[in-house]
Amino acid sequence: MDVILLERIAKLGQMGETVKVRDGYARNYLLPTGRALRANAANKARFEAERAVLEARNLERKNEAQKVADVLEGKSFIAVRAAGETGQLYGSVAARDVVEILAEEGFNVGRNQVELHAPIKTVGLHNVELHLHAEVEITIELNVARTKEEAERQAKGEDLTSADAIYGVDEDALRPEDFFNPDADYDLDEEAEEAPEASEEAGEDEDK
């Protein structure tokens, strides 16, 4: 479908340009959100007549988006999720989850404004891009952890997939005595010497 863009849209074109897009994209997003008009003579004339108003409206939206961006830029948000010992999530964090997390903090961001190429499936610190406006893009940090306490530790640089994070065990500080009792009497040589003698005695008994 050919449409006339009423604002600049990344990877599509500038305001006033006529571009070809998928029918579904036009019907489900561009047209109902007022970002484009069907390309025909009547709408082209309408655009030219309203161009000044549209440019003013676009500038207002850009300024509003920039105000939100100034507050959000570089912020970190916590997402508490169940995960295994290796940090693999029992599920994932998708764009809609990011929208809900931001909404809980008082930020109204649309799902289509969250640039998440693939769902997040591991604990850790993840960068998420937000396209608040065609000309306003920022990055926030999503701190995915099993608990808020672990998220705080993770924010300080701790690896939550280590044994120390999960069990309170410092893997680097482990010593042999942590696995074996140094006071135990292990005399393998004596046991080896006794074994043949026992075997010989058994043989003598059989001969008798």
Side-chain angles (χ1 to χ4, degrees):
M1 179 186 297
D2 290 335
V3 298
I4 303 169
L5 298 180
L6 299 182
E7 63 181 56
R8 177 181 175 275
I9 297 180
K11 300 179 182 179
L12 270 187
Q14 302 292 330
M15 175 187 291
E17 290 184 355
T18 298
V19 297
K20 189 175 186 63
V21 299
R22 296 190 305 274
D23 289 357
Y25 183 51
R27 294 195 183 98
N28 299 326
Y29 178 63
L30 294 178
L31 300 180
T33 57
R35 288 175 168 79
L37 294 172
R38 289 177 180 273
N40 55 46
N43 283 335
K44 186 67 175 178
R46 173 186 170 188
F47 168 77
E48 292 300 338
E50 299 178 359
R51 189 182 191 106
V53 175
L54 292 171
E55 289 178 345
R57 186 180 68 180
N58 182 59
L59 180 59
E60 182 180 355
R61 287 178 175 175
K62 178 183 176 182
N63 291 337
E64 291 176 352
Q66 189 59 57
K67 290 178 182 178
V68 176
D70 292 341
V71 178
L72 278 175
E73 180 69 61
K75 277 189 173 295
S76 181
F77 298 86
I78 296 175
V80 176
R81 293 292 187 274
E85 295 180 356
T86 60
Q88 192 74 17
L89 300 185
Y90 298 137
S92 63
V93 178
R96 64 176 179 277
D97 299 304
V98 176
V99 171
E100 292 175 0
I101 291 169
L102 291 175
E104 291 175 357
E105 298 296 328
F107 298 101
N108 184 23
V109 175
R111 184 175 176 181
N112 63 295
Q113 294 176 306
V114 179
E115 187 70 20
L116 200 59
H117 300 293
I120 297 171
K121 296 184 178 181
T122 60
V123 299
L125 303 177
H126 303 270
N127 289 329
V128 178
E129 292 182 7
L130 299 180
H131 295 184
L132 303 178
H133 182 272
E135 300 174 61
V136 181
E137 299 178 3
I138 62 168
T139 299
I140 62 171
E141 181 182 78
L142 198 61
N143 187 339
V144 183
R146 302 176 187 86
T147 64
K148 288 186 176 181
E149 290 72 18
E150 285 193 355
E152 292 175 359
R153 291 160 57 191
Q154 188 166 246
K156 296 177 182 178
E158 188 172 345
D159 179 8
L160 295 184
T161 63
S162 67
D164 181 35
I166 303 168
Y167 303 113
V169 177
D170 187 350
E171 292 174 319
D172 295 331
L174 291 177
R175 298 166 300 176
E177 52 265 36
D178 293 323
F179 298 95
F180 303 100
N181 183 358
D183 297 325
D185 185 12
Y186 296 107
D187 195 340
L188 298 181
D189 292 336
E190 290 183 2
E191 292 178 359
E193 292 175 358
E194 292 175 357
E197 294 178 0
S199 178
E200 291 175 2
E201 291 176 359
E204 293 177 357
D205 292 338
E206 288 181 359
D207 294 338
K208 294 179 181 178

